[in-house]
């Protein structure tokens, strides 16, 4: 990871509702953005990956999957599509 990227690690019960948690985050960010001038609005591209021992050999594999999904989400945002879970 580099630049302004960050990771959120969820476990057990939190993992079960990660879509709901992210939707709440987007809602809060959207409300805050509505009050800002266009030149300083904040947009968040994201990628979600869930560890699967059958697919991932290490935590790095999980990060790489999430990073690839974030990159695809960023492209969609630039094309004007609404972000969605990847």
């Amino acid at each position: 990871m580099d630049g302004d990227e960050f990771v959120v690690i969820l476990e057990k019960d939190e993992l079960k509702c990660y879509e709901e948690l992210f939707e709440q985050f987007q809602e809060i960010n959207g409300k805050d953005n509505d009050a800002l001038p266009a030149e300083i609005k904040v947009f968040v591209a994201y990628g979600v990956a869930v560890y699967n021992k059958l697919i991932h050999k290490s935590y790095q594999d999980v990060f790489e999957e999430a990073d690839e999904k974030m990159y695809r989400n960023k492209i969609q945002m630039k094309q004007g599509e609404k972000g969605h879970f990847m």
Side-chain angles (χ1 to χ4, degrees), residues 50-79:
V50 177
Y51 173 75
N52 179 332
K53 66 182 178 182
L54 301 175
I55 298 171
H56 305 107
K57 292 181 172 81
S58 71
Y59 73 90
Q60 188 64 34
D61 291 344
V62 181
F63 287 161
E64 288 174 7
E65 179 183 339
D67 193 54
E68 173 60 31
K69 290 178 178 181
M70 182 194 65
Y71 177 74
R72 286 188 279 163
N73 184 246
K74 191 178 292 189
I75 290 170
Q76 289 176 336
M77 290 173 64
K78 287 181 180 180
Q79 294 173 344

mmCIF file of all heavy atoms in Angstrom, residues 50-79:
data_model
loop_
_atom_site.group_PDB
_atom_site.id
_atom_site.type_symbol
_atom_site.label_atom_id
_atom_site.label_comp_id
_atom_site.label_asym_id
_atom_site.label_seq_id
_atom_site.Cartn_x
_atom_site.Cartn_y
_atom_site.Cartn_z
ATOM 1 N N VAL A 50 -12.094 -10.856 1.130
ATOM 2 C CA VAL A 50 -12.321 -11.649 2.335
ATOM 3 C C VAL A 50 -11.411 -12.868 2.261
ATOM 4 O O VAL A 50 -11.399 -13.594 1.260
ATOM 5 C CB VAL A 50 -13.797 -12.087 2.439
ATOM 6 C CG1 VAL A 50 -14.015 -12.965 3.657
ATOM 7 C CG2 VAL A 50 -14.707 -10.863 2.490
ATOM 8 N N TYR A 51 -10.643 -13.070 3.314
ATOM 9 C CA TYR A 51 -9.695 -14.190 3.350
ATOM 10 C C TYR A 51 -10.415 -15.517 3.168
ATOM 11 O O TYR A 51 -11.437 -15.785 3.784
ATOM 12 C CB TYR A 51 -8.947 -14.204 4.687
ATOM 13 C CG TYR A 51 -8.077 -15.427 4.845
ATOM 14 C CD1 TYR A 51 -6.882 -15.535 4.147
ATOM 15 C CD2 TYR A 51 -8.463 -16.473 5.663
ATOM 16 C CE1 TYR A 51 -6.089 -16.665 4.272
ATOM 17 C CE2 TYR A 51 -7.677 -17.608 5.799
ATOM 18 C CZ TYR A 51 -6.490 -17.705 5.093
ATOM 19 O OH TYR A 51 -5.712 -18.824 5.218
ATOM 20 N N ASN A 52 -9.856 -16.319 2.278
ATOM 21 C CA ASN A 52 -10.352 -17.668 2.038
ATOM 22 C C ASN A 52 -9.131 -18.579 1.966
ATOM 23 O O ASN A 52 -8.306 -18.446 1.055
ATOM 24 C CB ASN A 52 -11.136 -17.716 0.726
ATOM 25 C CG ASN A 52 -11.668 -19.089 0.404
ATOM 26 O OD1 ASN A 52 -11.103 -20.104 0.799
ATOM 27 N ND2 ASN A 52 -12.761 -19.124 -0.336
ATOM 28 N N LYS A 53 -9.000 -19.480 2.902
ATOM 29 C CA LYS A 53 -7.796 -20.325 2.974
ATOM 30 C C LYS A 53 -7.619 -21.202 1.744
ATOM 31 O O LYS A 53 -6.525 -21.680 1.477
ATOM 32 C CB LYS A 53 -7.803 -21.160 4.249
ATOM 33 C CG LYS A 53 -8.895 -22.201 4.327
ATOM 34 C CD LYS A 53 -8.833 -22.947 5.647
ATOM 35 C CE LYS A 53 -9.970 -23.954 5.747
ATOM 36 N NZ LYS A 53 -9.950 -24.651 7.025
ATOM 37 N N LEU A 54 -8.672 -21.413 0.964
ATOM 38 C CA LEU A 54 -8.557 -22.202 -0.261
ATOM 39 C C LEU A 54 -7.989 -21.391 -1.421
ATOM 40 O O LEU A 54 -7.497 -21.963 -2.402
ATOM 41 C CB LEU A 54 -9.918 -22.783 -0.645
ATOM 42 C CG LEU A 54 -10.581 -23.696 0.386
ATOM 43 C CD1 LEU A 54 -11.971 -24.108 -0.079
ATOM 44 C CD2 LEU A 54 -9.702 -24.907 0.655
ATOM 45 N N ILE A 55 -8.064 -20.071 -1.319
ATOM 46 C CA ILE A 55 -7.616 -19.184 -2.399
ATOM 47 C C ILE A 55 -6.334 -18.439 -2.036
ATOM 48 O O ILE A 55 -5.420 -18.328 -2.839
ATOM 49 C CB ILE A 55 -8.718 -18.159 -2.742
ATOM 50 C CG1 ILE A 55 -9.969 -18.878 -3.235
ATOM 51 C CG2 ILE A 55 -8.227 -17.151 -3.767
ATOM 52 C CD1 ILE A 55 -11.167 -17.973 -3.391
ATOM 53 N N HIS A 56 -6.279 -17.923 -0.825
ATOM 54 C CA HIS A 56 -5.179 -17.061 -0.404
ATOM 55 C C HIS A 56 -4.116 -17.848 0.358
ATOM 56 O O HIS A 56 -4.429 -18.537 1.315
ATOM 57 C CB HIS A 56 -5.715 -15.923 0.471
ATOM 58 C CG HIS A 56 -6.791 -15.143 -0.191
ATOM 59 N ND1 HIS A 56 -8.117 -15.256 0.194
ATOM 60 C CD2 HIS A 56 -6.760 -14.252 -1.208
ATOM 61 C CE1 HIS A 56 -8.853 -14.461 -0.562
ATOM 62 N NE2 HIS A 56 -8.058 -13.843 -1.429
ATOM 63 N N LYS A 57 -2.883 -17.687 -0.081
ATOM 64 C CA LYS A 57 -1.767 -18.354 0.605
ATOM 65 C C LYS A 57 -1.196 -17.491 1.725
ATOM 66 O O LYS A 57 -0.538 -17.989 2.620
ATOM 67 C CB LYS A 57 -0.682 -18.686 -0.400
ATOM 68 C CG LYS A 57 -1.100 -19.757 -1.398
ATOM 69 C CD LYS A 57 0.027 -20.076 -2.356
ATOM 70 C CE LYS A 57 -0.293 -21.256 -3.219
ATOM 71 N NZ LYS A 57 -1.110 -21.020 -4.334
ATOM 72 N N SER A 58 -1.448 -16.176 1.647
ATOM 73 C CA SER A 58 -0.913 -15.252 2.662
ATOM 74 C C SER A 58 -1.802 -14.015 2.730
ATOM 75 O O SER A 58 -2.663 -13.804 1.873
ATOM 76 C CB SER A 58 0.518 -14.841 2.319
ATOM 77 O OG SER A 58 0.511 -13.983 1.183
ATOM 78 N N TYR A 59 -1.548 -13.189 3.743
ATOM 79 C CA TYR A 59 -2.296 -11.933 3.854
ATOM 80 C C TYR A 59 -2.012 -11.048 2.654
ATOM 81 O O TYR A 59 -2.866 -10.269 2.230
ATOM 82 C CB TYR A 59 -1.970 -11.214 5.168
ATOM 83 C CG TYR A 59 -0.592 -10.594 5.194
ATOM 84 C CD1 TYR A 59 -0.408 -9.292 4.764
ATOM 85 C CD2 TYR A 59 0.528 -11.294 5.630
ATOM 86 C CE1 TYR A 59 0.850 -8.711 4.761
ATOM 87 C CE2 TYR A 59 1.779 -10.724 5.633
ATOM 88 C CZ TYR A 59 1.936 -9.432 5.192
ATOM 89 O OH TYR A 59 3.171 -8.858 5.189
ATOM 90 N N GLN A 60 -0.803 -11.151 2.079
ATOM 91 C CA GLN A 60 -0.456 -10.335 0.908
ATOM 92 C C GLN A 60 -1.391 -10.635 -0.257
ATOM 93 O O GLN A 60 -1.773 -9.724 -1.002
ATOM 94 C CB GLN A 60 1.009 -10.579 0.509
ATOM 95 C CG GLN A 60 1.499 -9.636 -0.570
ATOM 96 C CD GLN A 60 1.517 -8.185 -0.128
ATOM 97 O OE1 GLN A 60 1.766 -7.888 1.021
ATOM 98 N NE2 GLN A 60 1.237 -7.290 -1.052
ATOM 99 N N ASP A 61 -1.792 -11.890 -0.431
ATOM 100 C CA ASP A 61 -2.735 -12.261 -1.488
ATOM 101 C C ASP A 61 -4.071 -11.547 -1.291
ATOM 102 O O ASP A 61 -4.703 -11.101 -2.252
ATOM 103 C CB ASP A 61 -2.973 -13.771 -1.506
ATOM 104 C CG ASP A 61 -1.764 -14.566 -1.964
ATOM 105 O OD1 ASP A 61 -0.834 -13.977 -2.560
ATOM 106 O OD2 ASP A 61 -1.738 -15.783 -1.708
ATOM 107 N N VAL A 62 -4.505 -11.435 -0.051
ATOM 108 C CA VAL A 62 -5.767 -10.755 0.251
ATOM 109 C C VAL A 62 -5.647 -9.270 -0.079
ATOM 110 O O VAL A 62 -6.526 -8.682 -0.714
ATOM 111 C CB VAL A 62 -6.169 -10.954 1.729
ATOM 112 C CG1 VAL A 62 -7.490 -10.256 2.026
ATOM 113 C CG2 VAL A 62 -6.264 -12.430 2.068
ATOM 114 N N PHE A 63 -4.527 -8.645 0.332
ATOM 115 C CA PHE A 63 -4.304 -7.227 0.034
ATOM 116 C C PHE A 63 -4.249 -6.975 -1.472
ATOM 117 O O PHE A 63 -4.807 -5.996 -1.966
ATOM 118 C CB PHE A 63 -3.019 -6.724 0.673
ATOM 119 C CG PHE A 63 -3.099 -6.562 2.173
ATOM 120 C CD1 PHE A 63 -1.939 -6.497 2.916
ATOM 121 C CD2 PHE A 63 -4.307 -6.468 2.839
ATOM 122 C CE1 PHE A 63 -1.991 -6.335 4.303
ATOM 123 C CE2 PHE A 63 -4.375 -6.313 4.214
ATOM 124 C CZ PHE A 63 -3.215 -6.247 4.939
ATOM 125 N N GLU A 64 -3.591 -7.871 -2.195
ATOM 126 C CA GLU A 64 -3.484 -7.702 -3.648
ATOM 127 C C GLU A 64 -4.852 -7.808 -4.314
ATOM 128 O O GLU A 64 -5.157 -7.050 -5.235
ATOM 129 C CB GLU A 64 -2.512 -8.719 -4.234
ATOM 130 C CG GLU A 64 -1.069 -8.397 -3.887
ATOM 131 C CD GLU A 64 -0.086 -9.476 -4.324
ATOM 132 O OE1 GLU A 64 -0.491 -10.443 -5.018
ATOM 133 O OE2 GLU A 64 1.097 -9.352 -3.953
ATOM 134 N N GLU A 65 -5.692 -8.720 -3.842
ATOM 135 C CA GLU A 65 -7.048 -8.839 -4.389
ATOM 136 C C GLU A 65 -7.847 -7.570 -4.117
ATOM 137 O O GLU A 65 -8.503 -7.028 -5.002
ATOM 138 C CB GLU A 65 -7.763 -10.049 -3.784
ATOM 139 C CG GLU A 65 -9.183 -10.216 -4.292
ATOM 140 C CD GLU A 65 -9.916 -11.360 -3.635
ATOM 141 O OE1 GLU A 65 -9.277 -12.273 -3.078
ATOM 142 O OE2 GLU A 65 -11.164 -11.335 -3.675
ATOM 143 N N ALA A 66 -7.778 -7.078 -2.898
ATOM 144 C CA ALA A 66 -8.503 -5.854 -2.548
ATOM 145 C C ALA A 66 -7.975 -4.665 -3.351
ATOM 146 O O ALA A 66 -8.751 -3.823 -3.813
ATOM 147 C CB ALA A 66 -8.378 -5.574 -1.053
ATOM 148 N N ASP A 67 -6.660 -4.592 -3.546
ATOM 149 C CA ASP A 67 -6.052 -3.503 -4.301
ATOM 150 C C ASP A 67 -6.515 -3.513 -5.757
ATOM 151 O O ASP A 67 -6.834 -2.474 -6.330
ATOM 152 C CB ASP A 67 -4.528 -3.610 -4.216
ATOM 153 C CG ASP A 67 -3.844 -2.351 -4.701
ATOM 154 O OD1 ASP A 67 -4.174 -1.260 -4.182
ATOM 155 O OD2 ASP A 67 -2.974 -2.447 -5.584
ATOM 156 N N GLU A 68 -6.579 -4.689 -6.355
ATOM 157 C CA GLU A 68 -7.055 -4.809 -7.734
ATOM 158 C C GLU A 68 -8.518 -4.370 -7.834
ATOM 159 O O GLU A 68 -8.907 -3.655 -8.763
ATOM 160 C CB GLU A 68 -6.903 -6.248 -8.230
ATOM 161 C CG GLU A 68 -7.519 -6.515 -9.590
ATOM 162 C CD GLU A 68 -6.941 -5.682 -10.724
ATOM 163 O OE1 GLU A 68 -5.746 -5.331 -10.668
ATOM 164 O OE2 GLU A 68 -7.687 -5.375 -11.667
ATOM 165 N N LYS A 69 -9.322 -4.763 -6.880
ATOM 166 C CA LYS A 69 -10.727 -4.363 -6.884
ATOM 167 C C LYS A 69 -10.869 -2.859 -6.662
ATOM 168 O O LYS A 69 -11.741 -2.211 -7.251
ATOM 169 C CB LYS A 69 -11.507 -5.156 -5.835
ATOM 170 C CG LYS A 69 -11.654 -6.616 -6.213
ATOM 171 C CD LYS A 69 -12.376 -7.403 -5.138
ATOM 172 C CE LYS A 69 -12.567 -8.842 -5.534
ATOM 173 N NZ LYS A 69 -13.287 -9.600 -4.502
ATOM 174 N N MET A 70 -10.016 -2.278 -5.833
ATOM 175 C CA MET A 70 -10.042 -0.836 -5.615
ATOM 176 C C MET A 70 -9.689 -0.106 -6.914
ATOM 177 O O MET A 70 -10.325 0.884 -7.271
ATOM 178 C CB MET A 70 -9.067 -0.428 -4.518
ATOM 179 C CG MET A 70 -9.100 1.073 -4.238
ATOM 180 S SD MET A 70 -7.707 1.641 -3.266
ATOM 181 C CE MET A 70 -6.365 1.329 -4.388
ATOM 182 N N TYR A 71 -8.696 -0.601 -7.611
ATOM 183 C CA TYR A 71 -8.297 0.006 -8.877
ATOM 184 C C TYR A 71 -9.462 -0.011 -9.870
ATOM 185 O O TYR A 71 -9.761 0.991 -10.517
ATOM 186 C CB TYR A 71 -7.088 -0.727 -9.445
ATOM 187 C CG TYR A 71 -6.640 -0.217 -10.776
ATOM 188 C CD1 TYR A 71 -5.971 1.002 -10.889
ATOM 189 C CD2 TYR A 71 -6.894 -0.937 -11.937
ATOM 190 C CE1 TYR A 71 -5.570 1.471 -12.129
ATOM 191 C CE2 TYR A 71 -6.503 -0.473 -13.174
ATOM 192 C CZ TYR A 71 -5.828 0.736 -13.277
ATOM 193 O OH TYR A 71 -5.448 1.199 -14.495
ATOM 194 N N ARG A 72 -10.160 -1.149 -9.971
ATOM 195 C CA ARG A 72 -11.325 -1.235 -10.871
ATOM 196 C C ARG A 72 -12.432 -0.284 -10.437
ATOM 197 O O ARG A 72 -13.090 0.345 -11.268
ATOM 198 C CB ARG A 72 -11.842 -2.667 -10.946
ATOM 199 C CG ARG A 72 -10.927 -3.565 -11.763
ATOM 200 C CD ARG A 72 -11.538 -4.919 -11.986
ATOM 201 N NE ARG A 72 -11.301 -5.720 -10.785
ATOM 202 C CZ ARG A 72 -11.943 -6.823 -10.487
ATOM 203 N NH1 ARG A 72 -12.886 -7.282 -11.264
ATOM 204 N NH2 ARG A 72 -11.664 -7.489 -9.391
ATOM 205 N N ASN A 73 -12.643 -0.147 -9.119
ATOM 206 C CA ASN A 73 -13.650 0.776 -8.599
ATOM 207 C C ASN A 73 -13.278 2.220 -8.945
ATOM 208 O O ASN A 73 -14.136 3.024 -9.318
ATOM 209 C CB ASN A 73 -13.798 0.591 -7.093
ATOM 210 C CG ASN A 73 -14.883 1.447 -6.494
ATOM 211 O OD1 ASN A 73 -14.584 2.342 -5.710
ATOM 212 N ND2 ASN A 73 -16.130 1.205 -6.852
ATOM 213 N N LYS A 74 -12.001 2.542 -8.849
ATOM 214 C CA LYS A 74 -11.524 3.889 -9.173
ATOM 215 C C LYS A 74 -11.800 4.214 -10.648
ATOM 216 O O LYS A 74 -12.238 5.307 -10.984
ATOM 217 C CB LYS A 74 -10.030 3.989 -8.882
ATOM 218 C CG LYS A 74 -9.494 5.401 -8.924
ATOM 219 C CD LYS A 74 -8.016 5.451 -8.586
ATOM 220 C CE LYS A 74 -7.784 5.102 -7.143
ATOM 221 N NZ LYS A 74 -6.405 5.333 -6.704
ATOM 222 N N ILE A 75 -11.573 3.251 -11.527
ATOM 223 C CA ILE A 75 -11.854 3.440 -12.952
ATOM 224 C C ILE A 75 -13.342 3.691 -13.166
ATOM 225 O O ILE A 75 -13.740 4.595 -13.910
ATOM 226 C CB ILE A 75 -11.378 2.226 -13.770
ATOM 227 C CG1 ILE A 75 -9.846 2.183 -13.784
ATOM 228 C CG2 ILE A 75 -11.931 2.269 -15.191
ATOM 229 C CD1 ILE A 75 -9.276 0.904 -14.367
ATOM 230 N N GLN A 76 -14.192 2.906 -12.495
ATOM 231 C CA GLN A 76 -15.640 3.100 -12.613
ATOM 232 C C GLN A 76 -16.039 4.493 -12.148
ATOM 233 O O GLN A 76 -16.882 5.144 -12.763
ATOM 234 C CB GLN A 76 -16.392 2.051 -11.796
ATOM 235 C CG GLN A 76 -16.326 0.671 -12.374
ATOM 236 C CD GLN A 76 -17.011 -0.357 -11.472
ATOM 237 O OE1 GLN A 76 -17.135 -0.158 -10.264
ATOM 238 N NE2 GLN A 76 -17.436 -1.460 -12.056
ATOM 239 N N MET A 77 -15.443 4.948 -11.056
ATOM 240 C CA MET A 77 -15.779 6.272 -10.533
ATOM 241 C C MET A 77 -15.394 7.350 -11.539
ATOM 242 O O MET A 77 -16.141 8.299 -11.762
ATOM 243 C CB MET A 77 -15.072 6.512 -9.194
ATOM 244 C CG MET A 77 -15.630 5.663 -8.068
ATOM 245 S SD MET A 77 -14.679 5.788 -6.546
ATOM 246 C CE MET A 77 -14.899 7.501 -6.127
ATOM 247 N N LYS A 78 -14.243 7.203 -12.166
ATOM 248 C CA LYS A 78 -13.791 8.183 -13.165
ATOM 249 C C LYS A 78 -14.700 8.181 -14.384
ATOM 250 O O LYS A 78 -14.841 9.192 -15.048
ATOM 251 C CB LYS A 78 -12.348 7.907 -13.571
ATOM 252 C CG LYS A 78 -11.361 8.275 -12.490
ATOM 253 C CD LYS A 78 -9.940 8.009 -12.923
ATOM 254 C CE LYS A 78 -8.985 8.391 -11.815
ATOM 255 N NZ LYS A 78 -7.590 8.144 -12.179
ATOM 256 N N GLN A 79 -15.330 7.038 -14.675
ATOM 257 C CA GLN A 79 -16.251 6.939 -15.794
ATOM 258 C C GLN A 79 -17.664 7.373 -15.423
ATOM 259 O O GLN A 79 -18.562 7.313 -16.220
ATOM 260 C CB GLN A 79 -16.273 5.507 -16.324
ATOM 261 C CG GLN A 79 -14.968 5.074 -16.933
ATOM 262 C CD GLN A 79 -14.942 3.595 -17.292
ATOM 263 O OE1 GLN A 79 -15.768 2.814 -16.843
ATOM 264 N NE2 GLN A 79 -13.976 3.209 -18.081
#
